[in-house]
Amino acid sequence: MQKNILVTGGAGFIGSHLTDMLLEQGHSVTVIDDLSTGSVKNLSSVRSNPRLNFVVDSIMNVRLMSELIDWCDHVYHFAAAVGVRLILDKPVQTIETNIRGTEIVLSLAAKKQRKVLITSTSEVYGKGAKVPFCEDDDLVLGATIKPRWGYACSKAIDEFLALAYWREHRVPVVIVRLFNTVGPRQTGRYGMVIPRFAEQALKNEDITVYGDGYQTRSFAHVHDVIGALNSLMNTPTAVGQVFNVGNDTELSIMELAQLVKAQTQSQSEIRCIPFEKAYDENFEDLLRRVPSLEKLKRVIDYAPKYSINDIVSQVVDHTRREMESNG
Ligand code: UDP
């Protein structure tokens, strides 16, 4: 059935891919994005679609948000501070956008009883050492002098708030913890490793591995991720619950650097840079981060289709095209 769907942050990396998919499914989509980290370019292939309404504004504009939530059946809430680099550079904006923005979305959704998908992050697991991470594990966050944990806490508050709105006001919410979602359109500007490595390799510059490169991540292709989000939104038993979404194949950052170098046949050197030089002395990286996907697979039919090879090759192609079009 055709629905009216609001995507906050819909000009961003993940939001724009989801917008493409929802339009393809025949829905009407309103995107609200302040273009702080998103880009009009991400929506270029759907801009002329008559079922897309693109609003450049902030989710803090309560009157506007009230109208948009009134109009829609479902809300996918992506608008938030994103990327380790941005989080360190703009800690106030990070905390305020994440907490206040989500509060606005949830309070308006409560008035109209709209269904909301809240995007949280694997960062909330913090330094948890028990791998893989399960949704009901304890959160192990670091000291407040380290701004990274302010981001994790702000997203954890979003989760508490969403669950509270479900319990107290019966707002149908689904919460997802996204694990290193990657793919074409992701920018390296805010720190994300794969687009950064791809650009460095294509320019034959040093590929900068932070730390010793033994830290691992589990990278999921954005198409696998948006498929899962869409299924969760349409699965009644997912309401009021938290789900990990990602890919559970683990890879070290050094292996990733080697893969990008091999796929681009680059002349780049792989160079290790201490964390305190890459960020600052208050930075804390995470050693391992792997999702348990058991809970997700119990509720929806989910099997990631894209391998890390597919991901790197698509990101490299995208980066090459971007570099060509920028001269
Ligand atoms: N990283 C790196 N070089 C870069 C950017 C990131 O080695 O130019 C590392 C980073 O320290 C982390 C991993 O790659 O260990 C993933 O970083 P990203 O910021 O993409 O995601 P997150 O740290 O949030 O998982």
Side-chain angles (χ1 to χ4, degrees):
M1 201 181 65
Q2 192 270 339
K3 287 197 161 61
N4 293 340
I5 301 177
L6 176 63
V7 182
T8 74
F13 161 55
I14 308 177
S16 67
H17 281 284
L18 181 80
T19 298
D20 291 350
M21 181 185 182
L22 295 172
L23 288 168
E24 226 163 83
Q25 291 173 350
H27 302 296
S28 292
V29 180
T30 292
V31 162
I32 178 165
D33 198 305
D34 67 1
L35 300 180
S36 54
T37 56
S39 158
V40 176
K41 225 172 159 184
N42 288 339
L43 293 171
S44 54
S45 62
V46 288
R47 274 305 288 280
S48 57
N49 189 318
R51 282 182 284 104
L52 174 67
N53 172 30
F54 179 26
V55 182
V56 179
D57 210 317
S58 165
I59 55 166
M60 305 297 192
N61 182 343
V62 180
R63 189 183 292 175
L64 172 64
M65 284 296 285
S66 171
E67 281 169 24
L68 298 180
I69 288 181
D70 199 11
W71 164 84
C72 76
D73 303 298
H74 288 171
V75 187
Y76 289 87
H77 179 41
F78 291 97
V82 72
V84 171
R85 174 58 58 202
L86 181 86
I87 287 155
L88 299 181
D89 291 346
K90 301 244 184 251
V92 173
Q93 187 190 316
T94 295
I95 295 170
E96 287 184 354
T97 310
N98 289 0
I99 296 181
R100 177 93 185 106
T102 301
E103 193 191 346
I104 289 170
V105 169
L106 288 167
S107 62
L108 294 171
K111 282 193 192 145
K112 307 284 175 183
Q113 282 298 303
R114 299 297 188 250
K115 192 166 184 180
V116 186
L117 182 135
I118 297 286
T119 51
S120 181
T121 164
S122 55
E123 285 273 329
V124 300
Y125 289 106
K127 300 185 279 185
K130 186 187 136 285
V131 173
F133 295 152
C134 297
E135 289 83 349
D136 52 4
D137 285 348
D138 288 341
L139 310 184
V140 187
L141 302 184
T144 51
I145 51 162
K146 300 184 177 180
R148 179 169 203 154
W149 305 119
Y151 170 71
C153 265
S154 69
K155 284 293 194 174
I157 289 287
D158 286 354
E159 293 194 17
F160 280 122
L161 202 57
L163 292 168
Y165 268 97
W166 163 239
R167 283 194 199 108
E168 209 175 313
H169 302 300
R170 301 324 274 175
V171 180
V173 298
V174 179
I175 297 158
V176 293
R177 291 182 180 159
L178 303 180
F179 281 69
N180 293 82
T181 304
V182 290
R185 293 186 198 159
Q186 187 175 45
T187 162
R189 207 172 308 141
Y190 310 109
M192 279 74 159
V193 67
I194 297 191
R196 287 174 62 81
F197 282 2
E199 190 171 339
Q200 290 167 339
L202 289 171
K203 291 181 172 165
N204 290 312
E205 293 171 353
D206 285 350
I207 298 178
T208 55
V209 168
Y210 299 160
D212 58 15
Y214 283 105
Q215 73 271 31
T216 68
R217 293 293 186 272
S218 315
F219 296 100
H221 193 291
V222 64
H223 284 166
D224 284 327
V225 170
I226 59 168
L229 304 192
N230 188 230
S231 298
L232 285 169
M233 180 64 111
N234 294 302
T235 301
T237 51
V239 168
Q241 297 203 58
V242 181
F243 297 92
N244 291 337
V245 176
N247 186 321
D248 52 8
T249 309
E250 202 176 0
L251 183 83
S252 78
I253 298 304
M254 184 55 79
E255 287 170 310
L256 175 69
Q258 286 157 351
L259 181 65
V260 172
K261 182 173 152 96
Q263 279 212 13
T264 49
Q265 298 178 320
S266 170
Q267 304 301 310
S268 296
E269 299 285 333
I270 296 175
R271 194 158 59 89
C272 289
I273 298 185
F275 285 116
E276 53 285 9
K277 274 214 179 124
Y279 299 107
D280 69 23
E281 71 280 5
N282 277 329
F283 182 75
E284 203 163 9
D285 198 41
L286 312 165
L287 219 50
R288 292 180 72 190
R289 173 183 270 172
V290 189
S292 161
L293 299 174
E294 272 179 36
K295 183 174 178 189
L296 182 66
K297 288 177 177 176
R298 278 201 299 273
V299 174
I300 61 165
D301 186 18
Y302 180 72
K305 292 186 191 69
Y306 297 88
S307 70
I308 187 66
N309 284 304
D310 303 328
I311 291 169
V312 168
S313 117
Q314 288 187 19
V315 174
V316 165
D317 283 350
H318 178 83
T319 310
R320 196 178 271 128
R321 280 198 302 276
E322 287 283 292
M323 283 167 57
E324 280 163 9
S325 75
N326 295 335

